[in-house]
């Protein structure tokens, strides 16, 4: 699966070697991987007895994980494991890669031809706003779609106070907008 010429996304095979696979296969493996993570109750606790904000939290031992008090991480006090944030980041990055592939390889056909580009833009711009504000994606992760980020900062899709906006080169976005106006 790729996103433009500079970005090729590989999947680890059974021997943990990065392997080039077609996008549709990458997406179904990715979907399965994300579902397995979300269904993993160690990672995303679903039982009230394991999360400290649950009604019977008073009975929950916050030292369920054998760690020293000096160690801290996102979600620790609510019963989430140490790798919770890093796994969430990987989930966001995997989803981002699918969007990047859709924009590079399928924006015109089928999205534009089917009049669905507005829906795609709406989904992706909201995804970027959320992912960046939660620190799930870094500025360098957005490189395959930097032009889009620049454009959305310039045309007001990203509010100026948003993190996504801070990752944009607004001047480049303004130039892109001018090109669009001249072309139409
Ligand atoms: Zn494709």
């Amino acid at each position: 699966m790729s996103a433009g010429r500079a970005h090729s996304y590989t999947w680890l095979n059974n021997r943990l070697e990065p392997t080039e696979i077609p996008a549709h296969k990458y997406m179904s493996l990715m979907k399965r991987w994300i579902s397995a993570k979300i269904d993993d109750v160690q990672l995303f606790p679903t039982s009230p007895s394991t999360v400290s904000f649950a009604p019977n939290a008073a009975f929950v031992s916050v030292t369920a994980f054998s760690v020293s008090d000096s160690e801290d991480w996102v979600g620790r006090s609510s019963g989430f494991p140490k790798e919770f944030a890093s796994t969430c980041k990987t989930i966001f990055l995997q989803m981002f890669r699918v969007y990047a592939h859709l924009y590079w390889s399928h924006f015109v056909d089928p999205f534009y031809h089917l009049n669905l580009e507005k829906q795609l833009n709406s989904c992706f711009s909201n995804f970027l706003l959320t992912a960046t504000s939660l620190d799930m994606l870094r500025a360098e992760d957005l490189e395959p779609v930097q032009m889009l980020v620049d454009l959305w900062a310039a045309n007001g899709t990203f509010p100026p106070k948003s993190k996504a906006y801070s990752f944009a080169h607004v001047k480049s976005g303004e130039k892109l907008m001018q090109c669009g106006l001249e072309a139409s």
Side-chain angles (χ1 to χ4, degrees):
M1 186 169 84
S2 64
R5 264 188 237 148
H7 299 276
S8 176
Y9 302 127
T10 53
W11 195 264
L12 295 180
N13 67 13
N14 294 338
R15 293 189 298 278
L16 297 179
E17 299 154 344
T19 314
E20 300 257 4
I21 53 172
H24 66 91
K25 204 169 168 201
Y26 187 106
M27 287 179 204
S28 57
L29 285 169
M30 186 209 70
K31 244 170 52 190
R32 215 182 303 162
W33 181 84
I34 292 180
S35 296
K37 291 289 174 201
I38 289 173
D39 290 343
D40 179 352
V41 292
Q42 294 294 321
L43 199 57
F44 291 91
T46 52
S47 162
S49 65
T50 58
V51 288
S52 59
F53 54 77
N56 57 352
F59 303 106
V60 176
S61 163
V62 288
T63 52
F65 301 100
S66 54
V67 291
S68 72
D69 284 342
S70 60
E71 265 191 290
D72 204 8
W73 59 81
V74 175
R76 182 187 167 185
S77 61
S78 306
F80 289 85
K82 206 172 185 175
E83 69 273 22
F84 176 68
S86 63
T87 305
C88 290
K89 280 181 190 172
T90 311
I91 289 173
F92 272 89
L93 193 60
Q94 291 292 351
M95 290 169 69
F96 170 84
R97 288 174 169 190
V98 170
Y99 274 116
H101 174 73
L102 292 181
Y103 273 89
W104 274 95
S105 302
H106 304 285
F107 185 76
V108 174
D109 186 13
F111 287 97
Y112 187 77
H113 287 167
L114 292 176
N115 241 339
L116 287 172
E117 81 281 6
K118 282 191 179 69
Q119 284 86 339
L120 180 65
N121 285 340
S122 165
C123 288
F124 189 43
S125 58
N126 281 295
F127 171 82
L128 287 180
L129 281 168
T130 308
T132 52
S133 72
L134 295 174
D135 290 327
M136 292 289 116
L137 289 175
R138 302 159 304 165
E140 54 266 43
D141 294 328
L142 308 186
E143 211 231 298
V145 297
Q146 188 64 50
M147 282 203 301
L148 208 48
V149 172
D150 299 346
L151 181 68
W152 285 344
N155 73 8
T157 302
F158 291 156
K161 282 190 180 144
S162 64
K163 193 110 170 235
Y165 186 96
S166 74
F167 292 166
H169 312 298
V170 184
K171 285 266 176 291
S172 311
E174 284 165 356
K175 273 193 202 140
L176 283 169
M177 279 178 74
Q178 278 171 357
C179 294
L181 290 175
E182 280 160 20
S184 60

